Amino acid sequence: MADYGRRKSDKMLLALEREIRQEYAKAAKEVEQKLTKHLDSFARKDKQKLSQLSKGLITQKEYEQWRVGQVMIGKRWEKLTKDLTAVMNNADKAAAAMMDGMIDRYEAELGVKTKVIATGGLAGAITPYCTHEITVDDGLLMRGLAVIWEKNAK
């Protein structure tokens, strides 16, 4: 029975990991697209300004002042970073919803409330959005490996 439960848990966890990876891949693609759009827009405007400079329509000083105004500071930069942060926050919330759904399925099958421990690099980013109580333990894997090493060293 324990092997069946372990195999089923492993299968469910792999499916969850795949779904979460896909969600973050979509978010990364969206971030890349937004950033590329922003940088492409700058490149087009810069080309226009350089053309104006070469034709004598603006001075070198005017061109430099324009460039300084385009640097990623101030309101433009704040808007871009807010947009990109929102994309990643949405991915965190989607991953949390997936985790909550999986926990619900486990608890329904087991018929009891379970204790959940999240590990890994994104655990701290995802669990605040979960509705279940989840303990984050970034050191669990290393402690487990240390126990195995100690047992094998005897």
Side-chain angles (χ1 to χ4, degrees):
M1 183 67 167
D3 285 340
Y4 167 77
R6 185 175 52 88
R7 282 193 308 272
K8 185 165 182 140
S9 293
D10 288 348
K11 186 177 177 181
M12 290 174 75
L13 285 171
L14 285 173
L16 176 64
E17 288 172 7
R18 187 174 44 253
E19 288 177 37
I20 290 173
R21 267 195 313 274
Q22 289 171 345
E23 192 63 37
Y24 279 101
K26 285 192 311 190
K29 185 176 181 178
E30 187 175 340
V31 166
E32 182 181 5
Q33 288 171 341
K34 286 180 182 260
L35 190 54
T36 299
K37 181 180 175 185
H38 178 79
L39 295 174
D40 287 348
S41 173
F42 169 77
R44 280 191 308 278
K45 291 174 186 174
D46 189 52
K47 189 176 178 180
Q48 290 171 345
K49 290 292 184 182
L50 282 171
S51 174
Q52 291 174 347
L53 178 63
S54 69
K55 293 176 183 174
L57 300 173
I58 61 173
T59 65
Q60 181 69 32
K61 185 176 181 178
E62 289 171 320
Y63 172 72
E64 289 170 3
Q65 287 174 337
W66 174 83
R67 292 257 329 191
V68 167
Q70 298 302 305
V71 175
M72 292 185 176
I73 55 175
K75 292 181 181 180
R76 283 188 201 95
W77 179 246
E78 286 177 21
K79 181 182 181 335
L80 179 63
T81 55
K82 282 181 184 177
D83 288 350
L84 301 181
T85 301
V87 170
M88 295 312 292
N89 280 341
N90 288 339
D92 291 344
K93 290 174 185 175
M98 291 177 208
M99 284 179 61
D100 280 332
M102 179 174 223
I103 294 166
D104 289 339
R105 289 192 299 275
Y106 270 123
E107 291 180 346
E109 186 159 331
L110 295 171
V112 295
K113 185 169 172 46
T114 59
K115 178 170 175 113
V116 179
I117 301 172
T119 64
L122 294 175
I126 296 170
T127 55
Y129 297 109
C130 291
T131 58
H132 291 84
E133 183 179 329
I134 300 174
T135 301
V136 176
D137 189 345
D138 291 326
L140 182 63
L141 175 65
M142 295 309 289
R143 287 194 311 278
L145 289 172
V147 168
I148 294 169
W149 182 80
E150 288 172 7
K151 287 185 178 193
N152 286 332
K154 291 181 183 179

